[in-house]
Amino acid sequence: MKKFNILIIIILSVNIAVHGQQVFQNVTSSMGIYGQTGLGHAVGWGDIDNDGDMDLGISNQEGDGFWFYLNEGDHFTDITAQAGLNGLGANKIIIAEVTGDDYNDLILRTRSNTQYLFKSNGDGTFQNITSSAGIAGAAVYNIADFNNDGLLDLLSVANDNYSILYNNGNAAFQPPQIISPCQSFMGVAVLDYDGDGLMDIYHTTYGDYPNMLLRNNGDGTFTNTTNFAGVGYSQGAHGVDVGDFNNDGWVDIYLGSYSSLTCKLFRNNGDGTFTDVTYSTGTAGHNDTRTVTFVDYNNDGWLDIFSSHHDFYSYSNTMLRNNGDNTFTNVAPQLGLSGEWIGDYFGQGWADYNLDGAMDLFAAGHIDKYRLFKNTNCPGSFIQIRLNGQVSNPNGIGSRIEVWNSGEKISRFVLPSGGLHDFGSLDINVGLNGAYCVDSILVFWPSGIIQKLWNTNGDQFITITENETTEITDKESRRSTHATVQPNPVAHQGSFSFYLPEPEIVHVAIYDLKGEQVKFISRKKLDTGMQQIAFDVNEIENGIYLIKASGENVTATEKVMIVK
């Protein structure tokens, strides 16, 4: 069952201090987070009870400590015992909806690669369904909907192989399907780097093994395109994250060096290749990097880069502020995020835990071990967006969001953190740089549905349910209508249904994900009302395609999977 079925817009009165220096304040103990033992390790944020705020999971490096905190608004409550989570450890903490109900679940991988899946009951308790879900032998590093069936799959790295456990939609997963061998893996990021609507994989390594970019072919196979894409990195890179740093609508990659090499910023060229812009942008950072994250810490509409390093005496953490002109400046010391005996974080997660529109940080490491940093005196305004997929996966992972104001675009992607021990909020906080409203918000869902909201006020929290907004548009700004394909997947014959608001000539065809027509179905004048167009796929190869009906005043598009 999908979450909700309506568009919900929640407007809260938010008072963000606009005077005084912006700093990150240690509020760990005052917020009720204390009693941890050992060295800090993994961090995970997510809303497990649908109350709108982010709950928190953390672990220690020794592998004998895991704690889960329920966010009560003005404090956190340790619910580890009552939630049924005692006696665990965690190397990776993932919080997302994978069991087909209304609540985000908890996916834990331990240091010994023991895998757990805890189904959230929505009341602060969990049910261990690892065995019945069929994932006991997996080692989950990240999540994405790799076959675009609206369900989040598990990306496992075990026995020197990448495998995907495809979600069956009934709180169970198919056995691991190997997609590629790999060696000495570290962080694993998921992204659609070439804009074909399919989630690809980029992973970092330890030692002298090269990083690897795997392109999703849409038929269950992946191709190593590292060299062609220009994102090779010949030594260890512990940290990795992906995001659109220059707001051009394409996902970029940042790597944290774990070797003698510098960190790397790869700019996506939009043609399947990347350019190394590390030195021209001033993002070389430092080596021996533990973890990196793209985040807009100051709400100016540009993604900044936070990194933690092992040298806690001199440059412990860096916050590279995005200047909006393809250059960055380190501002961590004046923010209170860098200095002696601070940093060496192995895991981090960013979330707006107190719902004030500013992104906060929980960091876990070896020096200050467990620390919640509250972002205070954050300038600017914001819109915070939570996606609720109906045709797409429930968390909207893989979606692209565009916020437009006065001809300027802010581009964000809903993607899980790629770091080895990192997992941040899947809600998207869009800094508006002081604007009181925006002209439009567009959501490009993995399903192919495109939604548009007009004239939205700033400083508010919005939940967008897929295909339930006041206006849905395609790139030609025609009137769009919801469409369905039955059955889907299609083996031989299918039926394409859509609503036509007025009579007109409609062209119906099937296209590949590059936009090339692969099969003409019909072109004729249709009357007003619900339309049902029969089609066959006998001469089309297996894969994922778009079936589209287009006329002068209407368009209807749906993804169709062909499996014979």
Side-chain angles (χ1 to χ4, degrees):
M1 182 173 67
K2 298 287 187 178
K3 296 181 186 177
F4 315 113
N5 57 10
I6 59 172
L7 167 71
I8 302 173
I9 299 181
I10 306 171
I11 304 178
L12 300 180
S13 176
V14 180
N15 293 316
I16 300 178
V18 295
H19 301 292
Q21 179 183 349
Q22 182 182 11
V23 295
F24 283 80
Q25 177 187 359
N26 177 14
V27 296
T28 316
S29 296
S30 65
M31 287 299 295
I33 301 173
Y34 50 82
Q36 283 69 46
T37 59
L39 304 175
H41 202 54
V43 178
W45 288 102
D47 183 0
I48 57 116
D49 55 358
N50 286 348
D51 64 352
D53 51 26
M54 290 291 116
D55 309 303
L56 174 69
I58 53 179
S59 71
N60 69 11
Q61 182 175 285
E62 290 76 6
D64 59 1
F66 173 80
W67 302 268
F68 200 89
Y69 285 86
L70 192 69
N71 189 338
E72 308 275 16
D74 60 351
H75 70 283
F76 287 83
T77 299
D78 185 348
I79 63 168
T80 311
Q82 72 185 63
L85 301 173
N86 267 346
L88 299 171
N91 209 36
K92 181 78 174 186
I93 302 167
I94 296 174
I95 301 174
E97 204 293 283
V98 297
T99 57
D101 60 13
D102 288 345
Y103 300 103
N104 287 319
D105 309 297
L106 177 63
I107 305 167
L108 298 182
R109 186 188 80 248
T110 70
R111 293 203 71 186
S112 60
N113 275 346
T114 301
Q115 188 64 57
Y116 293 98
L117 172 56
F118 292 95
K119 183 180 185 294
S120 173
N121 298 318
D123 59 0
T125 65
F126 293 85
Q127 178 185 359
N128 185 350
I129 63 168
T130 309
S131 179
S132 63
I135 69 166
V140 178
Y141 276 63
N142 219 324
I143 53 172
D145 182 2
F146 291 103
N147 58 355
N148 279 349
D149 64 353
L151 304 168
L152 286 175
D153 311 306
L154 308 180
L155 178 59
S156 173
V157 188
N159 302 317
D160 292 330
N161 281 310
Y162 268 121
S163 301
I164 295 176
L165 286 77
Y166 287 101
N167 195 329
N168 291 330
N170 56 357
F173 295 80
Q174 296 178 21
Q177 300 184 27
I178 294 175
I179 59 171
S180 175
C182 62
Q183 293 177 304
S184 191
F185 38 83
M186 295 291 279
V188 180
V190 292
L191 70 162
D192 177 11
Y193 80 91
D194 54 358
D196 64 355
L198 299 167
M199 295 299 288
D200 311 302
I201 299 166
Y202 186 77
H203 87 87
T204 63
T205 61
Y206 180 88
D208 295 330
Y209 296 100
N211 290 353
M212 187 162 60
L213 176 64
L214 296 174
R215 182 182 182 274
N216 189 339
N217 299 319
D219 59 0
T221 66
F222 289 72
T223 300
N224 186 341
T225 58
T226 313
N227 292 334
F228 173 81
V231 290
Y233 193 85
S234 60
Q235 296 185 32
H238 194 294
V240 59
D241 202 22
V242 291
D244 185 1
F245 83 88
N246 57 353
N247 286 331
D248 66 351
W250 296 94
V251 187
D252 310 300
I253 301 173
Y254 191 71
L255 304 178
S257 170
Y258 199 62
S259 63
S260 59
L261 300 179
T262 69
C263 299
K264 287 289 184 183
L265 177 59
F266 291 108
R267 185 192 66 213
N268 194 326
N269 299 321
D271 60 0
T273 68
F274 292 76
T275 298
D276 181 352
V277 294
T278 307
Y279 289 104
S280 65
T281 56
T283 53
H286 304 279
N287 54 20
D288 211 356
T289 307
R290 299 302 195 218
T291 182
V292 301
T293 298
F294 282 107
V295 60
D296 182 2
Y297 80 91
N298 59 354
N299 279 347
D300 66 353
W302 299 94
L303 286 179
D304 314 294
I305 303 172
F306 177 79
S307 303
S308 182
H309 311 277
H310 181 56
D311 190 337
F312 47 88
Y313 286 107
S314 55
Y315 51 77
S316 59
N317 301 320
T318 57
M319 176 64 84
L320 299 178
R321 183 189 66 210
N322 191 333
N323 299 318
D325 60 359
N326 292 307
T327 67
F328 290 76
T329 302
N330 182 27
V331 294
Q334 52 263 47
L335 292 173
L337 288 174
S338 184
E340 188 173 345
W341 294 102
I342 178 174
D344 196 22
Y345 300 131
F346 276 59
Q348 61 164 311
W350 289 82
D352 178 12
Y353 80 87
N354 56 350
L355 299 180
D356 65 351
M359 294 299 287
D360 311 295
L361 167 67
F362 196 97
H366 287 187
I367 306 307
D368 34 351
K369 297 184 180 178
Y370 307 94
R371 183 162 288 188
L372 175 61
F373 289 100
K374 177 185 176 183
N375 187 345
T376 63
N377 292 324
C378 181
S381 50
F382 71 94
I383 289 178
Q384 194 167 126
I385 301 170
R386 175 176 294 188
L387 296 185
N388 175 26
Q390 299 290 300
V391 183
S392 304
N393 65 85
N395 299 104
I397 290 175
S399 299
R400 175 165 58 93
I401 298 173
E402 290 183 359
V403 177
W404 287 87
N405 203 33
S406 300
E408 298 292 329
K409 177 179 70 175
I410 300 172
S411 169
R412 295 290 181 268
F413 290 83
V414 182
L415 297 170
S417 303
L420 185 59
H421 313 299
D422 309 332
F423 197 85
S425 168
L426 291 173
D427 293 351
I428 298 297
N429 197 79
V430 181
L432 302 181
N433 200 29
Y436 294 106
C437 65
V438 298
D439 297 333
S440 62
I441 300 173
L442 286 89
V443 180
F444 298 81
W445 295 88
S447 65
I449 291 173
I450 305 172
Q451 293 179 245
K452 189 170 187 177
L453 281 70
W454 290 99
N455 300 322
T456 305
N457 291 330
D459 290 352
Q460 66 167 309
F461 301 82
I462 302 174
T463 296
I464 301 177
T465 296
E466 187 172 13
N467 205 38
E468 291 293 337
T469 56
T470 55
E471 180 171 349
I472 309 169
T473 66
D474 70 352
K475 292 180 181 178
E476 294 79 29
S477 297
R478 295 173 180 153
R479 186 173 177 183
S480 178
T481 181
H482 182 52
T484 59
V485 172
Q486 295 291 336
N488 200 359
V490 180
H492 299 289
Q493 292 184 324
S495 176
F496 180 45
S497 300
F498 59 93
Y499 180 77
L500 192 62
E502 56 189 78
E504 68 170 302
I505 297 174
V506 179
H507 178 97
V508 182
I510 297 176
Y511 302 83
D512 63 23
L513 294 177
K514 295 181 180 179
E516 298 293 330
Q517 180 174 307
V518 297
K519 180 179 177 64
F520 169 78
I521 297 175
S522 67
R523 179 178 174 83
K524 59 185 177 181
K525 187 171 183 178
L526 300 174
D527 291 329
T528 302
M530 201 68 192
Q531 310 297 320
Q532 190 173 53
I533 308 296
F535 65 93
D536 69 74
V537 296
N538 295 327
E539 67 273 35
I540 304 178
E541 296 181 355
N542 288 354
I544 297 175
Y545 298 85
L546 297 175
I547 183 168
K548 183 175 182 179
S550 55
E552 184 177 352
N553 300 303
V554 70
T555 182
T557 306
E558 179 63 297
K559 284 194 176 179
V560 56
M561 182 181 296
I562 298 175
V563 180
K564 301 174 186 177

